[in-house]
Coordinates of all heavy atoms in Angstrom, one line a residue:
Y1 N 0.8 -14.0 11.9 CA 2.0 -14.2 11.1 C 2.5 -12.8 10.5 O 3.7 -12.6 10.4 CB 1.8 -15.1 9.9 CG 1.5 -16.5 10.3 CD1 0.2 -17.1 10.4 CD2 2.6 -17.3 10.6 CE1 0.0 -18.4 10.8 CE2 2.4 -18.7 11.0 CZ 1.1 -19.1 11.1 OH 0.9 -20.4 11.5
L2 N 1.5 -11.9 10.3 CA 1.9 -10.6 9.7 C 2.6 -9.7 10.7 O 3.5 -8.9 10.2 CB 0.6 -9.9 9.2 CG 0.0 -10.4 7.9 CD1 -1.2 -9.6 7.5 CD2 1.0 -10.3 6.8
K3 N 2.4 -9.8 11.9 CA 3.0 -9.0 12.9 C 4.5 -9.1 12.8 O 5.2 -8.0 12.9 CB 2.6 -9.3 14.3 CG 1.2 -8.8 14.7 CD 0.8 -9.2 16.1 CE -0.7 -8.9 16.3 NZ -1.1 -9.3 17.7
S4 N 5.1 -10.2 12.7 CA 6.5 -10.4 12.7 C 7.1 -10.0 11.3 O 8.3 -9.7 11.2 CB 6.9 -11.9 12.9 OG 6.4 -12.7 11.9
L5 N 6.3 -9.8 10.3 CA 6.8 -9.4 9.0 C 6.7 -7.9 8.7 O 7.2 -7.4 7.7 CB 6.0 -10.1 7.9 CG 6.0 -11.7 8.0 CD1 5.1 -12.3 6.9 CD2 7.4 -12.2 7.8
L6 N 6.0 -7.2 9.6 CA 5.8 -5.7 9.4 C 7.1 -5.0 9.5 O 7.9 -5.1 10.4 CB 4.8 -5.2 10.5 CG 4.5 -3.7 10.4 CD1 3.7 -3.5 9.1 CD2 3.7 -3.3 11.6
I7 N 7.4 -4.2 8.5 CA 8.7 -3.4 8.5 C 8.4 -1.9 8.4 O 9.3 -1.1 8.5 CB 9.6 -3.8 7.3 CG1 8.9 -3.6 6.0 CG2 10.1 -5.2 7.5 CD1 9.8 -3.8 4.8
G8 N 7.1 -1.5 8.2 CA 6.8 0.0 8.1 C 5.5 0.2 7.6 O 4.6 -0.7 7.4
E9 N 5.2 1.5 7.4 CA 3.9 2.0 6.9 C 4.2 3.0 5.8 O 5.1 3.7 5.9 CB 3.1 2.5 8.0 CG 1.6 2.6 7.8 CD 0.8 2.8 9.0 OE1 1.2 2.4 10.1 OE2 -0.2 3.5 8.9
L10 N 3.2 3.1 4.8 CA 3.4 4.1 3.8 C 3.2 5.5 4.4 O 2.4 5.7 5.3 CB 2.4 3.8 2.7 CG 2.5 2.6 1.9 CD1 1.4 2.4 0.9 CD2 3.8 2.5 1.1
A11 N 3.9 6.4 3.8 CA 3.7 7.8 4.2 C 2.3 8.3 3.8 O 1.7 7.8 2.8 CB 4.7 8.7 3.5
P12 N 1.7 9.2 4.6 CA 0.3 9.6 4.3 C 0.1 10.2 2.9 O -1.0 10.0 2.4 CB 0.1 10.7 5.4 CG 1.1 10.4 6.5 CD 2.3 9.8 5.8
D13 N 1.1 10.8 2.4 CA 0.9 11.4 1.0 C 1.2 10.4 -0.1 O 1.0 10.7 -1.3 CB 1.8 12.6 0.9 CG 3.3 12.3 1.1 OD1 3.6 11.3 1.8 OD2 4.1 13.0 0.5
Q14 N 1.7 9.2 0.2 CA 2.1 8.2 -0.8 C 0.9 7.4 -1.1 O 0.3 6.8 -0.2 CB 3.2 7.4 -0.3 CG 3.8 6.5 -1.3 CD 5.0 5.8 -0.9 OE1 5.4 5.8 0.3 NE2 5.7 5.1 -1.8
P15 N 0.5 7.2 -2.4 CA -0.7 6.4 -2.7 C -0.3 4.9 -2.5 O 0.8 4.5 -2.8 CB -0.9 6.7 -4.2 CG 0.3 7.2 -4.7 CD 1.1 7.9 -3.5
S16 N -1.3 4.1 -2.1 CA -1.0 2.7 -1.9 C -1.2 1.9 -3.2 O -0.8 0.7 -3.3 CB -1.9 2.1 -0.8 OG -3.2 2.2 -1.2
F17 N -1.9 2.5 -4.2 CA -2.1 1.8 -5.4 C -1.1 2.2 -6.4 O -0.5 3.2 -6.3 CB -3.6 2.1 -5.9 CG -3.8 3.5 -6.2 CD1 -3.6 4.0 -7.5 CD2 -4.2 4.4 -5.2 CE1 -3.8 5.4 -7.7 CE2 -4.5 5.7 -5.4 CZ -4.2 6.2 -6.7
E18 N -1.0 1.4 -7.5 CA 0.0 1.7 -8.5 C -0.5 2.8 -9.4 O -1.7 2.9 -9.6 CB 0.2 0.4 -9.4 CG 0.9 -0.7 -8.6 CD 1.1 -1.9 -9.5 OE1 1.6 -1.7 -10.6 OE2 0.8 -3.0 -9.1
S19 N 0.4 3.6 -10.0 CA 0.0 4.7 -10.8 C -0.7 4.3 -12.1 O -1.5 5.0 -12.6 CB 1.2 5.6 -11.1 OG 2.1 4.8 -11.8
N20 N -0.5 3.1 -12.5 CA -1.1 2.6 -13.8 C -2.5 2.0 -13.5 O -3.2 1.7 -14.5 CB -0.2 1.6 -14.5 CG 0.0 0.3 -13.7 OD1 -0.3 0.3 -12.5 ND2 0.6 -0.7 -14.3
K21 N -2.9 1.9 -12.3 CA -4.2 1.4 -11.9 C -5.1 2.6 -11.6 O -4.7 3.5 -10.9 CB -4.2 0.4 -10.8 CG -3.5 -0.9 -11.1 CD -3.6 -1.8 -9.9 CE -2.9 -3.1 -10.2 NZ -2.9 -4.0 -9.0
K22 N -6.3 2.6 -12.1 CA -7.2 3.7 -11.8 C -7.8 3.6 -10.4 O -8.3 2.5 -10.0 CB -8.3 3.7 -12.8 CG -7.9 4.1 -14.2 CD -9.0 4.2 -15.2 CE -8.5 4.6 -16.5 NZ -9.6 4.7 -17.5
K23 N -7.7 4.7 -9.7 CA -8.2 4.7 -8.3 C -9.7 4.4 -8.2 O -10.2 3.7 -7.4 CB -7.9 6.0 -7.6 CG -8.2 6.0 -6.1 CD -7.8 7.3 -5.5 CE -8.1 7.2 -4.0 NZ -7.7 8.4 -3.3
S24 N -10.5 5.0 -9.2 CA -11.9 4.8 -9.2 C -12.3 3.3 -9.4 O -13.2 2.8 -8.9 CB -12.6 5.7 -10.2 OG -12.1 5.3 -11.5
L25 N -11.5 2.6 -10.3 CA -11.7 1.2 -10.5 C -11.5 0.4 -9.3 O -12.3 -0.5 -8.9 CB -10.8 0.7 -11.7 CG -11.0 -0.7 -12.1 CD1 -12.4 -1.0 -12.6 CD2 -10.0 -1.1 -13.1

């Protein structure tokens, strides 16, 4: 199901987590 919904990928320098969430957590 996901294949048909894919519209792109994040840039390598862009974090995938939100800035208010701690990466270590």
Side-chain angles (χ1 to χ4, degrees):
Y1 293 101
L2 284 179
K3 285 180 186 176
S4 64
L5 303 175
L6 182 65
I7 58 172
E9 199 166 325
L10 293 177
D13 60 333
Q14 189 174 10
S16 63
F17 61 92
E18 293 180 49
S19 59
N20 63 350
K21 292 183 179 176
K22 294 185 178 180
K23 186 176 182 177
S24 62
L25 183 62

